[in-house]
Structure formats: structure tokens, C-alpha cells
């Protein structure tokens, strides 16, 4: 194991480290994706593609992996610079574009796992998932719920997120969060704070992007890196409609 | 709320954001502390002191907040530069020194919460805690157990970590991890992977620093930021001998 990864010993074998290094991952969206990318790179994922057409805004700095200097520049250029400063030998491929129904397939090809951190304002994120399924690429969906984080994995032969949508309803992130909350309540682990947040968000006068905290960005990055390791090394992981939740709010108080 | 923190809305009120901003925190140790610092700063903690006399090594890059350019430079200078690039108006005080029995008290004064991320190779970390107790400053103890992270809080009138030590035994991080594992087993939530890691670590031929992964660094940063918020805003939190554990390994598989 090279010097950089000596402290991964015991947890990660030499063979696993090599598998991880050569396992190409695709980050679709460099918002929460920017935090996941750094955690995964440090762990040892050295083949990373990131796609996003957005610019960095000041309001991203509360939770995304950007600096003041990056404001008004391309997200992918900024995150590429950061990742290469951490590991100059990594193979970081950054594409300054938005995925569309036309180009989604060509950009997914060649990767072995994907993270769908796209805005749910078009049908693209759902097409992204079904395209990955056809190509047998598992897709991680990370959600920032402020105090807690949620990750679910769409597997090649599993259910897709649009099964959460009622007829004639448009799919969005709030569906997933509501679903997670009702799932937890059903299984005897109610998270009332989630319902409270959803209620306040829906009641907002202006239609704004959902609020998000660094707390959930950091724990989502942790969970996604662990899941990518499990996928890369052929270990088990839960699939949608099951999901992973990480939070300390109300923990046995 | 200023532009930077607009996406904290719903979760964090204007009053709470102001409390957090002006709440001075002390990071003793800039190893895992370097990751906690960034998550806390982005959330809104703008008064941060970091103390560490170490230099950055290549083997830190698998989990700490440093870049290749930082290797062989002072950890505190490197982390100060990173934090100020994220928020140039933050009050970041960095001290390039090691805490000793003589200077620990003067450096703790003036802070309202502390994070004890010191090496447990001397009595300083335990004196750090009792000094904080006298000054009524809660102390967070973060532990990186690779796949999972552990945080416990030493409160002003609570038990201290040396209660885990048998007579004539020296205190170290392994005691805390073993304690957490037996606590979880007792309460019906056994984590056999922790025992496996401890066993392998103790059996190593060379005496090496414990292995650590980015996965636990990122989730520790998330938990510590949440706990700092609870402390700054007068909310409840668990105290040692209780602790927080975050992990997805073996989650209901």
C-alpha cells in the first residue's frame, strides 16, 4: 500500500485498495456531490467523473465543497482543482454541462457506479436511473435533510423511485423524504422532526430550493463512500425501497 | 440571515445562527479536528481556535483536511488557510504548539466548547478534560473507528474517561472503543466488527498509530457539528458514559 493509504490498513486490504482505485465512479451533480467526491477520493477512489453545468454561488458555501474564490466560476472546474490538490495523480474528469435526455446515456457508459445528485426539476434524474439499470450500474441517491442524511441505492434489477409517485403527480425529492419518514414510522422508529421540516418547507410562501446543512452533507459523504466501497468490492448493501438514514437528533434523549 | 447561510433556513433560526457565529470553540488537535473545523465553519461557527504542533504527512491525506502542497508544513497554518478561503471574515486563531500540563489552562480559557482530538500518548488529554470541567466547558471526544464514528461528551459535572481505566493501566483510545463495544453488546446492539478491528490492531507486530478512514472522519465531523449546535443553543445532548455511534456497516443486512 502506498504511503497515502497506509492508515487504511486493517480496514482495507491491498487487493481491495487496488479494486477501489480502478473503480470508475460517476458523480452526476456537483452540489452535495462535491463533498462526496472528496471523501471518496481520500478513501482511494482515483477514477472520478463529475458532471454539472452550474456556477458556484455564495449560498452553496454553507454545505458544498467550494471557497469564496470559486464563486461565479464553474462548479466542475472548482471541484477538479480541489480534488487534484489532494491527489495530483488521480484521474479526475470534469464535464461542464447539464445532462439531458439526449446525452445522458453516452456520459454514463464506462462507469461502474453512479451517484444521482441531480436537481429533480426535469425527467432527467429518473431517466438517468433507468439508463444505469440497463447498463447494470448501481445508482446511489443522496438526500440532505439538514440534521440527517438519507441514501438509497437503485440496483440493476430493483424498483425505481417513480414507484413512490401517485398517478398524475410529478416526482420530486420531497416524495422520497416523505416515503422515508412513513417507512420509519411503520417500522417503529418515527422521526417526527422530518415531518416538521417537510411541513414547514411546503408551507413556505416562495418556492425555494430545499434547505440543507453541512451536517447532512458530511454524513451523506461518509455513507456514500462506504457504499461505493461495498459495491466496488462485491459486498452486500441495501437497495431501494430500503434506505440508510444517519442522524443523531433525538437519539435516546 | 446573510446570503452564505440562506440555505440553513427552517433548520436554524436567525437567533440561533447568531448564537452559533459568536460561540467560540476550541479544537485541540488538527488531525480529525481539521475535518470537524470545516464542517462547523460552513454551518456557521465563525470563532474557531485550533491548536496543534504537528506537520502534515502524506499518510494524513487519506482522511484529514490537507492537500499535497501542505505536506511538511504546519498543520495549523494549512488548516487556517483552508478555513479562511471558505470564510475570509471568520475569526480563525491557530496556534502551532503542543498542549502541555503547564500551558493547557491558559489556552482553554475564553472558549465555550472544546473538542479533545489530542493524541493519548501523555496525561495531557485527561488534564485537558478536567481543566475544561473546572471552567464549565463541555468537551467533545471524537473517535475514528474506520467504518464508524464515536463521539462522547464530557460535561462539567459528569464522569471522566479515566473511569474506564483499571488500576495501574494507562488510559488510551482503545479503552474507549472497547468500552463502547461492550456497552452496545449489553444493550442488545452488538457490533462485532469493532471487536475484530481492536483484536487485529492489538495483534499488530509493530506499534503503529490506529488505522482510520475518511468514512469515519466525515461522519465524526457531522456529529460534532450537530453537538456544537446543541451546546451553543442550549439544547439537550447525551453525556459520557453515553455516546453517539454512527455507521452503516451491517445495518439490517
Amino acid at each position: 500500500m502506498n504511503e497515502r493509504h497506509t492508515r487504511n490498513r486493517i480496514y482495507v486490504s491491498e487487493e481491495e485498495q487496488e479494486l477501489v482505485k480502478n473503480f470508475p465512479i460517476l458523480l452526476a451533480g456537483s452540489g452535495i456531490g462535491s463533498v462526496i467526491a472528496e471523501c471518496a477520493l481520500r478513501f482511494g477512489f482515483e477514477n472520478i467523473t463529475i458532471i454539472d453545468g452550474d456556477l458556484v454561488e455564495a449560498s452553496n458555501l454553507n454545505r458544498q465543497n467550494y471557497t469564496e474564490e470559486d464563486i461565479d466560476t464553474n462548479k466542475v472546474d472548482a471541484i477538479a482543482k480541489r480534488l487534484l490538490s489532494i491527489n495530483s495523480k488521480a484521474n479526475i474528469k470534469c464535464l461542464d454541462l447539464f445532462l439531458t435526455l439526449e446525452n445522458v446515456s453516452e456520459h454514463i457508459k464506462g462507469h461502474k457506479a453512479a451517484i444521482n445528485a441531480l436537481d429533480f426539476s426535469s425527467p432527467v434524474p429518473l431517466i438517468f436511473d433507468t439508463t444505469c439499470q440497463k447498463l447494470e450500474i448501481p445508482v446511489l441517491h443522496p438526500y440532505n435533510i439538514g440534521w440527517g442524511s438519507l441514501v438509497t441505492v437503485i440496483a440493476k434489477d430493483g424498483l425505481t423511485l417513480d414507484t413512490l409517485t401517485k398517478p398524475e403527480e410529478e416526482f420530486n425529492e420531497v416524495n422520497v423524504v416523505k416515503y422515508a419518514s412513513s417507512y420509519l414510522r411503520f417500522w417503529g422508529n418515527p422521526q417526527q422532526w422530518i415531518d416538521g421540516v417537510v411541513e414547514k418547507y411546503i408551507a413556505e410562501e416562495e418556492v425555494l430550493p430545499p434547505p440543507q446543512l453541512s451536517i447532512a452533507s458530511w454524513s451523506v459523504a461518509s455513507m456514500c463512500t462506504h457504499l461505493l466501497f461495498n459495491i466496488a468490492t462485491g459486498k452486500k448493501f441495501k437497495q431501494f425501497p430500503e434506505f440508510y438514514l444517519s442522524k443523531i437528533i433525538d437519539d435516546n434523549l
Side-chain angles (χ1 to χ4, degrees), chain A:
Chain A
M1 208 174 280
N2 64 27
E3 179 64 14
R4 181 187 293 272
H5 291 115
T6 47
R7 296 292 289 277
N8 280 6
R9 69 178 208 285
I10 294 182
Y11 296 109
V12 184
S13 72
E14 298 247 8
E15 293 70 29
E16 287 171 335
Q17 194 73 52
E18 201 59 24
L19 278 174
V20 162
K21 182 181 170 181
N22 299 313
F23 196 78
I25 59 174
L26 168 63
L27 281 147
S30 190
I32 202 167
S34 64
V35 184
I36 301 168
E38 178 166 337
C39 187
L41 174 70
R42 291 193 184 274
F43 185 88
F45 287 91
E46 297 187 11
N47 278 281
I48 303 178
T49 304
I50 309 184
I51 302 180
D52 200 318
D54 254 337
L55 301 181
V56 177
E57 295 172 42
S59 64
N60 298 151
L61 300 193
N62 79 321
R63 70 197 186 284
Q64 296 178 13
N65 202 357
Y66 301 107
T67 65
E68 289 180 355
E69 198 182 77
D70 298 331
I71 293 172
D72 296 330
T73 69
N74 294 331
K75 281 192 169 178
V76 288
D77 292 342
I79 191 63
K81 197 176 150 199
R82 171 71 180 162
L83 297 177
L84 289 169
S85 77
I86 294 163
N87 186 341
S88 55
K89 297 209 177 105
N91 177 20
I92 308 295
K93 203 170 125 192
C94 282
L95 301 173
D96 177 26
L97 57 86
F98 290 106
L99 289 173
T100 63
L101 300 181
E102 290 70 39
N103 70 15
V104 68
S105 179
E106 64 173 294
H107 291 304
I108 291 170
K109 278 177 193 156
H111 299 95
K112 292 191 172 171
I115 293 170
N116 187 336
L118 298 164
D119 281 340
F120 271 88
S121 50
S122 81
V124 175
L126 292 175
I127 301 298
F128 182 92
D129 287 1
T130 49
T131 308
C132 285
Q133 285 189 312
K134 277 180 211 148
L135 296 166
E136 306 199 352
I137 298 169
V139 188
L140 279 59
H141 277 257
Y143 296 96
N144 184 317
I145 334 178
W147 307 124
S149 52
L150 199 67
V151 181
T152 191
V153 185
I154 307 298
K156 64 179 199 291
D157 41 15
L159 291 176
T160 51
L161 290 182
D162 53 3
T163 53
L164 299 177
T165 315
K166 293 176 196 131
E168 301 189 25
E169 187 188 54
E170 269 189 35
F171 180 80
N172 60 48
E173 297 101 319
V174 175
N175 291 121
V176 184
V177 173
K178 278 184 176 171
Y179 161 73
S181 177
S182 60
Y183 178 100
L184 288 161
R185 198 180 309 110
F186 181 81
W187 291 103
N189 183 15
Q191 302 289 320
Q192 287 175 337
W193 64 276
I194 298 182
D195 303 326
V197 168
V198 170
E199 215 168 276
K200 279 184 193 159
Y201 175 57
I202 291 172
E204 284 189 316
E205 280 179 30
E206 239 181 303
V207 179
L208 296 168
Q212 300 186 335
L213 300 176
S214 65
I215 291 171
S217 291
W218 259 245
S219 69
V220 144
S222 169
M223 288 202 284
C224 286
T225 301
H226 198 162
L227 287 166
L228 288 170
F229 171 76
N230 283 7
I231 293 167
T233 59
K235 294 183 176 56
K236 281 199 255 182
F237 56 89
K238 289 193 288 189
Q239 303 178 5
F240 179 74
E242 290 193 288
F243 58 88
Y244 295 91
L245 172 73
S246 180
K247 49 87 213 171
I248 66 168
I249 191 169
D250 289 339
D251 261 15
N252 313 316
L253 277 180

